């Protein structure tokens, strides 16, 4: 991108697939910028000047070569959508949980995260969280802060159990847990009374809690590739009520 391009009045900037190895310095002259996409470049580090764009509402940094995110990201208080997927992140700054404006989407999929940051549980207005294809082994014990979540995608991790607090996410409509190491589910999962889709494929489940039968809004329950699962009799009632049960 030419350095002399005037960006004073630019509100949206799409710089996808340009083979950039660094963020163009000219971006700091775009004080009104609200949407910035740098998807699918070759950026390994981010300049501190990026965090001066405090009017940003959408920031897409997916499919780069990032290994870390600065705590200074907390300055982007207007962000409602943040995509950090398909990078090389091994951890995240606690300050990410201070982005109270994150109401729409947070994408963290396809990184190298081994721990789910407890600070993220402070994102009480977030509706969609994608943290698939990482190396997570557990979730925080207290998930009550995620009260607005409607969709949670955690497939292809190494999660062995869910905390009882999963039942507090009563706004959830979709819960995707495919490809983990779950052997059981907590009874509290029956409190997700707004749930429409529950994907449990490719786990090691042997039983299902009877509370699951309370999910009268469920449209799809995917149980495939849990070869030791003993199916409860109430699955037939689910199917009779119109729920698609995949075995």
């Amino acid at each position: 991108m030419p350095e002399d391009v005037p960006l004073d009045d630019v509100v949206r900037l799409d710089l996808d697939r340009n083979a950039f190895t660094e963020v163009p310095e000219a971006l700091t002259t775009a004080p009104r910028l609200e949407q910035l996409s740098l998807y699918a470049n070759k950026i390994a580090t981010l300049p501190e000047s990026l965090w001066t764009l405090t009017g940003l509402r959408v920031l897409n940094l997916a499919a780069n070569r990032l290994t870390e995110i600065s705590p200074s990201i907390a300055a982007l208080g207007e962000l409602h959508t943040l995509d950090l997927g398909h990078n090389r992140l091994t951890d995240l700054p606690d300050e990410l949980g201070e982005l109270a404006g994150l109401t729409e989407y947070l994408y963290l999929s396809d990184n190298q995260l081994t721990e789910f940051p407890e600070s993220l549980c402070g994102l009480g207005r977030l509706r969609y969280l994608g943290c698939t294809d990482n190396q997570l082994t557990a979730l925080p014990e207290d998930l009550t802060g995620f009260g607005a979540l409607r969709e949670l995608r955690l497939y292809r991790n190494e999660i062995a159990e869910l905390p009882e607090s999963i039942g507090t996410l009563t706004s959830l409509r979709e819960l995707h847990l495919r490809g983990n190491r779950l052997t059981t589910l907590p009874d509290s999962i029956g409190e997700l009374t707004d749930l429409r889709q529950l994907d449990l494929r490719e786990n090691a489940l042997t039983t299902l809690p009877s509370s699951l039968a309370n999910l009268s809004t469920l449209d799809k329950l995917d149980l495939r590739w849990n070869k030791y699962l003993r199916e409860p009799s109430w699955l037939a009632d689910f199917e009779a009520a119109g729920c698609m049960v995949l075995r």
Side-chain angles (χ1 to χ4, degrees):
M1 185 174 69
E3 296 288 332
D4 58 351
V5 174
L7 296 175
D8 291 354
D9 297 320
V10 174
V11 175
R12 179 174 180 174
L13 197 55
D14 184 341
L15 299 174
D16 297 349
R17 304 181 187 277
N18 277 289
F20 289 140
T21 58
E22 57 186 28
V23 177
E25 290 186 13
L27 290 182
T28 59
T29 66
R32 297 184 59 196
L33 199 59
E34 295 182 3
Q35 298 185 40
L36 173 60
S37 183
L38 287 159
Y39 172 78
N41 281 285
K42 300 178 180 179
I43 299 168
T45 59
L46 300 171
E48 284 296 304
S49 59
L50 180 63
W51 317 121
T52 67
L53 301 175
T54 53
L56 280 177
R57 295 175 61 78
V58 178
L59 178 58
N60 186 349
L61 296 168
N64 278 283
R65 300 175 179 177
L66 301 175
T67 58
E68 63 180 359
I69 299 295
S70 170
S72 300
I73 195 173
L76 303 186
E78 298 297 316
L79 272 187
H80 65 66
T81 297
L82 175 61
D83 193 344
L84 298 173
H86 310 289
N87 277 288
R88 302 172 183 176
L89 300 171
T90 56
D91 55 27
L92 298 167
D94 288 341
E95 287 76 7
L96 201 58
E98 298 176 14
L99 296 177
L102 274 180
T103 57
E104 299 301 321
Y105 300 95
L106 175 57
Y107 298 96
L108 301 170
S109 297
D110 191 24
N111 277 286
Q112 299 171 25
L113 302 174
T114 58
E115 294 186 7
F116 189 100
E118 292 189 18
S119 62
L120 294 187
C121 298
L123 299 175
R125 299 164 61 199
L126 186 66
R127 295 183 180 184
Y128 176 101
L129 175 58
C131 200
T132 73
D133 299 282
N134 278 283
Q135 301 166 33
L136 303 178
T137 58
L139 299 178
E141 285 299 312
D142 187 0
L143 298 176
T144 56
F146 279 132
L149 267 189
R150 294 187 177 184
E151 189 167 338
L152 177 57
R153 292 180 176 264
L154 293 166
Y155 53 79
R156 288 193 289 270
N157 277 284
E158 299 178 15
I159 299 170
E161 62 179 353
L162 300 178
E164 281 289 336
S165 61
I166 193 77
T168 65
L169 308 185
T170 53
S171 294
L172 267 188
R173 295 183 178 181
E174 297 187 23
L175 178 56
H176 298 266
L177 296 164
R178 176 181 183 174
N180 279 281
R181 298 182 177 180
L182 299 171
T183 57
T184 60
L185 298 174
D187 288 338
S188 64
I189 202 164
E191 298 170 18
L192 302 179
T193 53
D194 214 19
L195 202 63
R196 269 65 164 178
Q197 294 186 31
L198 178 56
D199 188 351
L200 297 168
R201 284 176 287 175
E202 295 182 57
N203 277 282
L205 294 169
T206 58
T207 61
L208 296 175
S210 59
S211 63
L212 204 58
N214 299 330
L215 302 184
S216 58
T217 60
L218 207 60
D219 295 324
K220 182 179 179 181
L221 174 60
D222 201 334
L223 299 169
R224 289 177 289 177
W225 305 305
N226 284 276
K227 61 182 179 179
Y228 300 114
L229 179 63
R230 298 188 297 275
E231 294 187 5
S233 59
W234 49 259
L235 280 183
D237 297 331
F238 263 23
E239 291 176 306
C243 178
M244 180 187 300
V245 179
L246 301 175
R247 297 173 169 83

